[in-house]
Amino acid sequence: DAGITQSPRHKVTETGTPVTLRCHQTENHRYMYWYRQDPGHGLRLIHYSYGVKDTDKGEVSDGYSVSRSKTEDFLLTLESATSSQTSVYFCAISMGQRETQYFGPGTRLLVL
Amino acid sequence: GDSVTQMEGPVTLSEEAFLTINCTYTATGYPSLFWYVQYPGEGLQLLLKATKADDKGSNKGFEATYRKETTSFHLEKGSVQVSDSAVYFCALSGEGYQKVTFGTGTKLQVIP
């Protein structure tokens, strides 16, 4: 299994508070991704990174920001959480842009 | 843009039944095609993939053939087991794109 961890695994927060989710890899893969999974929508890409300090938006990036200061870490920040951001968040990594993606175990976020 | 369409679930089968989950796609050029599986409480993991037309991906008794003429990548298994109960996602990685497009997932339940 690819070495990918996500923290925290579960979080409950209140509307309007900032939240940061962390993805850590030990595989030295160049590409890292953040997805959210919601019933009826499958997986939707929030942001991705193609190298240290190189990031770009996905299809549902509003309300989210990311940072990648080291190869192994990719942070997802909700600047001011809203109830619509209640979801399960998955991090993924890949060696190349068309290569297999390896997923972390997910973070379940509840915004009250 | 790229898109993936999967059959609606849930699909309920008896053990040892034949499984087909349909997947069709829209993309320019020659995308890579994937099937991922998600077991309860876990992240997605690659089940099989195909990178060019007429390729057959296979793993754990599952198969799928890349059909360019029908833009399809249907997942099949000859005899399902209770342990195959999971959500299955069809996905594609288009040419020149740094992301993967996922279908909405098909839940499979296998009963003894």
Side-chain angles (χ1 to χ4, degrees):
Chain A
D1 290 344
I4 310 170
T5 56
Q6 293 185 233
S7 58
R9 293 292 315 279
H10 303 271
K11 186 169 182 66
V12 180
T13 191
E14 294 185 349
T15 298
T17 60
V19 176
T20 295
L21 308 183
R22 180 182 184 236
C23 177
H24 179 78
Q25 62 148 327
T26 58
E27 305 298 318
N28 200 35
H29 283 6
R30 178 182 176 188
Y31 292 85
M32 299 186 76
Y33 310 83
W34 277 108
Y35 293 91
R36 59 178 290 173
Q37 184 177 28
D38 304 289
H41 292 279
L43 266 73
R44 292 181 291 175
L45 182 66
I46 304 171
H47 283 278
Y48 66 95
S49 170
Y50 47 96
V52 173
K53 298 193 188 314
D54 293 324
T55 65
D56 206 349
K57 296 178 180 180
E59 61 184 298
V60 290
S61 59
D62 288 347
Y64 302 94
S65 63
V66 291
S67 66
R68 191 171 180 197
S69 58
K70 298 184 290 185
T71 298
E72 57 266 35
D73 289 326
F74 193 33
L75 303 180
L76 176 70
T77 298
L78 290 64
E79 302 291 346
S80 177
T82 67
S83 58
S84 65
Q85 293 175 313
T86 292
S87 187
V88 181
Y89 291 86
F90 287 99
C91 174
I93 65 174
S94 68
M95 293 178 63
Q97 64 188 54
R98 301 188 69 189
E99 300 296 319
T100 300
Q101 293 192 7
Y102 300 93
F103 285 79
T107 293
R108 191 171 295 272
L109 176 66
L110 175 61
V111 183
L112 300 175
Chain B
D2 296 347
S3 66
V4 175
T5 302
Q6 288 182 237
M7 60 188 292
E8 291 283 331
V11 174
T12 302
L13 296 174
S14 297
E15 206 166 21
E16 299 184 1
F18 184 85
L19 168 71
T20 300
I21 300 178
N22 291 336
C23 171
T24 57
Y25 68 90
T26 301
T28 56
Y30 293 87
S32 295
L33 302 175
F34 305 84
W35 277 101
Y36 286 85
V37 59
Q38 184 181 31
Y39 298 103
E42 298 183 8
L44 280 70
Q45 56 185 273
L46 180 71
L47 181 60
L48 53 84
K49 69 178 184 180
T51 58
K52 60 182 187 293
D54 299 325
D55 267 3
K56 178 184 284 187
S58 61
N59 186 26
K60 299 180 181 179
F62 291 89
E63 294 183 341
T65 301
Y66 189 141
R67 301 290 188 195
K68 179 69 173 174
E69 64 277 12
T70 55
T71 62
S72 65
F73 193 54
H74 304 322
L75 182 68
E76 297 181 336
K77 187 175 186 183
S79 176
V80 295
Q81 305 301 311
V82 172
S83 57
D84 294 326
S85 298
V87 181
Y88 293 82
F89 291 88
C90 185
L92 72 83
S93 178
E95 292 182 342
Y97 292 100
Q98 295 182 11
K99 70 181 185 75
V100 173
T101 300
F102 288 88
T104 54
T106 301
K107 184 175 182 178
L108 170 66
Q109 182 179 15
V110 180
I111 54 178

